[in-house]
Amino acid sequence: MSVDTAEHQVDLTIDGMTCAACANRIQRRLNKLDDVAEATVNFATGRATIRSEQSIASEILATEVEALGYAVIDDGESDEAEQRREADLWLRFRVAALLTIPAMAISMLPSLRFDGWEWVVAALTTPVIVWSGWPFHRAAWMNIRHGSTTMDTLVSMGSLSALLWSAVVLIADIADGHIYFETGAVIVTLILLGKWFELRAKKRSGDAIRALADLGVRTALLEDGTEIPLEGLVVGMTFRVRPGEKIATDGVVTEGTSAIDTSMVTGEPVPVEVGPGDEVVGATINTNGSLLVEATRVGADTALAQIIRLVDQAQGSRAEVQRLADRVASVFVPAAIVIALLTLIGWFATGHDANEAFTASVAVLIIACPCALGLATPLGIMVGTGRGAQLGVIIKGGEVLEDTRSVDAIVIDKTGTITEGRMALTSVAAPELTDSDHDWLLHAAASIEAKSEHPIAQAIASSHETYLDVEAFVNQPGYGVSGIVDGQEIRVGRRSLFGTVPDAVESVANTAERDGRTAVFAGRGDLAEMTLIISDTIKPTSTEAIEALREQGLDITLLTGDNQLAADAVGRTVGVDRVIAEVFPDDKAAEVRRLQASGKRVAMVGDGVNDAPALAQADLGIAIGTGTDVAIEASDLTIVSGDLLAVADAIALARRTLSTIKGNLFWAFAYNAAAIPLAAFGVLNPMIAAGAMGLSSLFVVSNSLRLRSFAGYRRAG
């Protein structure tokens, strides 16, 4: 179990749940507690998430869960408990199959019968129904004690009814009675087999998150050659990464050059070249060079740990489509029992004998298992979000899947999203200045811009290694910066920052902007004296990404604070539908609202702090993971890499996942809607019903697992 004190959230790992009805019962119990604001229980993941306004001790919550007959275990014990459960199911199934096969053969083939064969069949099948089926009977009894019913109730009632009725017929020697020993045994055997397959499939659905957790290394090699446990590595330590080794933790390269294979974390198939000053991510692979790396983030703060945490939260979330399934599951078992009783009464009332009435009612009990219904949504979310994590796409929750379905417009920030976001100062023009004034003004402009974190400012600042002293620095968002250097006021920014812009300076800027480059003005006081030309290259996959997004039916808008000419040039190159330029940070969210007011469902893609309001305002916020933590926190989808093509992957995967969930739910509802009447009218006997029930769950599981093969545009290309 884990506790998040900042949000007053407690996560419990629960052992012993067998179907969605179990999860609903625990959820109702926890939600009745006074201090609980919201409790959700996920059957597929075996996790309960409890949120409250005030901190609640996990022991109190665990006591409530255990009072219902379930166990709360530590996070580290969940895999071990799952292995024990799988081994137990397999043993009980093998014993059941070994005894059931000869019992069926004797019961169904007259040539194999002999005097007293009924007693032999009873001896073979009683251990199957009682011992192999004991997990169902035990769970059913615990549920009855607490006034509730689950899938185990149906299985237990069906198999025990077959055993008891057959025993009465055999012992009382009822002349016209039929025995159903083999039917009860087959029910238990088939359902055990189905549960075993289901458990193994659920384990496969969590392989992605387990694989992520296994990516990290256990030790780190320090600069002096000392090898220490990873837990001993702290921020500021320098460690060595040899060719072919995984990088121990997030850091900055201080020495050496190499290519880093980031595919396991970002989904990017092409290695990334790194050198001194470049950031590297823990658990990625150093392919060819030797590196020295200074640790910048360790433990729970690393990118890998954050990814795992986000995926884990997403897999425990509940989509809107799950609510209908939850409501149905909560009343399904009691309704099935009532239908079974009505079936029994109806067959008797229409003149049928006890054997026919009994057979039909037992078939109703068995066919009505709600397992498929309970697995439909959470298993789809588990597999979809897990596959997304492998591709470098983090889907924050089940509700995000529904948002992607209705999105029909996407707004994309330019800098750092469509373009590389690494500006470079390519040329400087100051037609009316002497060489000495030119050099001094450029040095002063670089000194002022060094105090700003904006990419354009950093590009200008990089033109010098040392800076002049700056006083009275002022940052005017959307306009530029100013400060006092050597007693003179220096301004660097847009045209609107200056009162006078000479024609020669303006002409240089216009020419550059027509070519799609950015022009920044610098000058003393109110006079613009210098034009600084900044270039930002378009990412190699941006054009392909825009086309992929258009294939998905999205209306595409490029939104940027850059000037209109530069933005138009980029827009034409990549092929976006609309370009909105010179938008101040506060206006980005307003533009999203304007599109929403026109009836659009809007997705926003961005990577900076100034994108956070728009990301939060959008119906679907998509953060490029190379951006800021603020942007990532405000988003619904996070792209770990900086590749815009991964945005197309994210939307396609989210939509595919939602489609899979809907297919699962349709099958689960349709199966029960069709099968229960067939069982009630005697078309399906109990053995066929047991097999069909198991197949329905296996269909939902296998349909969900198909998401593991999702390739995406990057892999397909």
Side-chain angles (χ1 to χ4, degrees):
M1 69 185 69
S2 62
V3 182
D4 187 338
T5 55
E7 297 181 1
H8 298 300
Q9 174 177 309
V10 178
D11 293 322
L12 302 177
T13 301
I14 301 174
D15 188 31
M17 291 192 293
T18 57
C19 69
C22 297
N24 288 330
R25 187 154 67 94
I26 298 171
Q27 184 170 293
R28 288 195 301 271
R29 176 76 171 246
L30 292 174
N31 276 312
K32 288 179 181 179
L33 297 178
D34 292 337
D35 293 330
V36 171
E38 180 188 24
T40 57
V41 181
N42 190 311
F43 167 53
T45 61
R47 298 285 295 276
T49 300
I50 304 95
R51 296 181 178 86
S52 60
E53 295 180 0
Q54 298 180 352
S55 180
I56 303 176
S58 57
E59 291 76 15
I60 295 175
L61 299 170
T63 299
E64 295 293 329
V65 173
E66 290 165 353
L68 296 176
Y70 303 95
V72 175
I73 59 179
D74 291 335
D75 292 340
E77 297 177 1
S78 58
D79 287 343
E80 184 179 338
E82 202 170 62
Q83 291 172 358
R84 288 198 303 268
R85 188 159 55 250
E86 181 182 344
D88 182 66
L89 277 174
W90 182 240
L91 175 61
R92 292 180 188 274
F93 165 72
R94 284 188 297 168
V95 171
L98 186 65
L99 298 175
T100 299
I101 291 173
M104 279 189 62
I106 295 171
S107 300
M108 301 181 72
L109 299 175
S111 61
L112 296 179
R113 293 177 183 172
F114 46 85
D115 290 339
W117 65 270
E118 297 94 337
W119 293 96
V120 174
V121 170
L124 289 170
T125 56
T126 298
V128 175
I129 296 171
V130 175
W131 183 80
S132 293
W134 177 247
F136 306 121
H137 308 317
R138 179 182 56 199
W141 172 244
M142 286 192 302
N143 292 329
I144 291 171
R145 286 174 53 201
H146 293 93
S148 64
T149 54
T150 65
M151 180 274 298
D152 301 296
T153 310
L154 300 179
V155 176
S156 180
M157 288 181 65
S159 59
L160 288 177
S161 296
L163 176 65
L164 296 175
W165 170 261
S166 301
V168 170
V169 170
L170 182 59
I171 295 171
D173 196 20
I174 299 175
D176 296 329
H178 288 82
I179 61 172
Y180 292 94
F181 288 117
E182 80 286 354
T183 299
V186 168
I187 289 170
V188 170
T189 303
L190 288 178
I191 293 177
L192 282 172
L193 180 61
K195 296 295 287 183
W196 183 74
F197 276 129
E198 178 186 304
L199 184 61
R200 286 183 62 84
K202 282 171 61 181
K203 284 177 61 179
R204 288 185 65 198
S205 71
D207 282 349
I209 191 67
R210 280 189 288 268
L212 282 175
D214 290 340
L215 286 180
V217 299
R218 300 290 179 263
T219 61
L221 182 65
L222 297 183
E223 185 178 9
D224 62 6
T226 305
E227 189 169 3
I228 64 171
L230 188 63
E231 295 77 15
L233 195 63
V234 299
V235 173
M237 282 186 173
T238 300
F239 58 93
R240 187 175 298 279
V241 188
R242 293 170 294 200
E245 291 184 338
K246 290 182 179 180
I247 297 172
T249 193
D250 298 358
V252 175
V253 177
T254 59
E255 183 181 311
T257 59
S258 183
I260 305 298
D261 180 358
T262 64
S263 60
M264 61 187 67
V265 174
T266 67
E268 296 291 340
V270 180
V272 178
E273 298 290 336
V274 298
D278 290 330
E279 294 184 356
V280 290
V281 177
T284 55
I285 299 175
N286 177 30
T287 60
N288 52 19
S290 181
L291 299 175
L292 285 180
V293 179
E294 181 182 337
T296 56
R297 291 189 291 188
V298 297
D301 295 328
T302 63
L304 180 62
Q306 292 178 38
I307 291 170
I308 293 172
R309 185 161 58 250
L310 286 171
V311 174
D312 188 50
Q313 290 172 358
Q315 293 189 340
S317 67
R318 303 171 76 81
E320 184 70 25
V321 292
Q322 176 69 10
R323 295 186 180 181
L324 175 61
D326 287 344
R327 288 195 294 269
V328 172
S330 65
V331 300
F332 201 86
V333 175
I337 294 173
V338 171
I339 293 172
L341 291 174
L342 291 175
T343 299
L344 185 67
I345 295 170
W347 279 73
F348 275 126
T350 52
H352 293 84
D353 61 30
N355 290 316
E356 293 173 310
F358 173 79
T359 300
S361 61
V362 169
V364 169
L365 288 174
I366 300 305
I367 203 75
C369 172
C371 276
L373 193 62
L375 287 171
T377 300
L379 204 58
I381 291 175
M382 281 184 69
V383 182
T385 53
R387 180 57 181 152
Q390 292 175 326
L391 294 174
V393 173
I394 310 302
I395 303 172
K396 283 196 174 179
E399 63 279 359
V400 172
L401 303 174
E402 278 127 345
D403 291 335
T404 62
R405 172 189 56 186
S406 56
V407 163
D408 55 9
I410 186 166
V411 175
I412 305 175
D413 178 55
K414 180 177 75 70
T415 305
T417 305
I418 289 181
T419 64
E420 293 286 357
R422 292 191 295 272
M423 298 291 191
L425 180 62
T426 57
S427 63
V428 179
E432 299 179 1
L433 293 181
T434 64
D435 289 344
S436 60
D437 282 347
H438 174 286
D439 294 342
W440 183 87
L441 182 56
L442 177 59
H443 197 181
S447 302
I448 292 175
E449 292 285 41
K451 294 184 174 295
S452 171
E453 294 182 355
H454 193 282
I456 291 177
Q458 291 299 305
I460 296 172
S462 65
S463 64
H464 286 73
E465 295 182 357
T466 61
Y467 304 110
L468 303 173
D469 292 334
V470 177
E471 300 175 354
F473 173 80
V474 176
N475 181 17
Q476 301 180 55
Y479 292 96
V481 294
S482 63
I484 305 299
V485 179
D486 291 346
Q488 300 185 69
E489 182 193 12
I490 306 299
R491 300 180 189 177
V492 187
R494 293 173 179 257
R495 288 175 178 83
S496 54
L497 195 63
F498 299 90
T500 303
V501 181
D503 290 342
V505 175
E506 182 74 47
S507 176
V508 173
N510 290 339
T511 301
E513 288 168 353
R514 280 195 296 270
D515 294 336
R517 294 177 290 169
T518 299
V520 177
F521 298 91
R524 287 169 283 198
D526 203 38
L527 175 65
E529 301 173 277
M530 176 178 286
T531 307
L532 305 159
I533 308 303
I534 312 297
S535 295
D536 181 16
T537 57
I538 294 172
K539 293 180 180 179
T541 59
S542 289
T543 302
E544 186 182 353
I546 296 299
E547 183 59 33
L549 292 169
R550 186 174 285 108
E551 284 180 9
Q552 297 181 49
L554 298 175
D555 177 41
I556 305 168
T557 299
L558 173 63
L559 189 65
T560 179
D562 207 348
N563 68 80
Q564 190 69 53
L565 291 173
D568 285 340
V570 173
R572 285 193 302 271
T573 302
V574 299
V576 299
D577 302 314
R578 296 170 62 242
V579 176
I580 301 176
E582 301 181 20
V583 179
F584 294 154
D586 293 343
D587 294 334
K588 289 188 177 182
E591 181 60 30
V592 171
R593 283 194 295 270
R594 190 190 67 76
L595 287 171
Q596 291 170 328
S598 69
K600 296 288 188 181
R601 295 279 294 176
V602 182
M604 169 70 191
V605 184
D607 73 329
V609 173
N610 60 354
D611 296 323
L615 288 168
Q617 174 65 39
D619 299 292
L620 180 69
I622 305 174
I624 298 294
T626 52
T628 66
D629 291 340
V630 175
I632 294 171
E633 186 64 29
S635 68
D636 303 302
L637 286 169
T638 298
I639 309 303
V640 179
S641 73
D643 189 350
L644 186 61
L645 198 58
V647 173
D649 285 349
I651 294 176
L653 175 60
R655 287 180 171 177
R656 177 84 65 84
T657 302
L658 181 63
S659 176
T660 298
I661 290 171
K662 287 186 171 181
N664 289 346
L665 287 171
F666 172 80
W667 170 259
F669 279 119
Y671 155 78
N672 284 299
I676 290 177
L678 291 175
F681 286 106
V683 177
L684 298 177
N685 67 43
M687 284 188 286
I688 295 177
M693 185 273 284
L695 288 174
S696 70
S697 293
L698 288 178
F699 170 83
V700 167
V701 169
S702 59
N703 190 45
S704 298
L705 289 176
R706 289 192 306 120
L707 289 167
R708 289 160 55 102
S709 63
F710 176 85
Y713 290 93
R714 289 173 294 165
R715 299 302 170 110

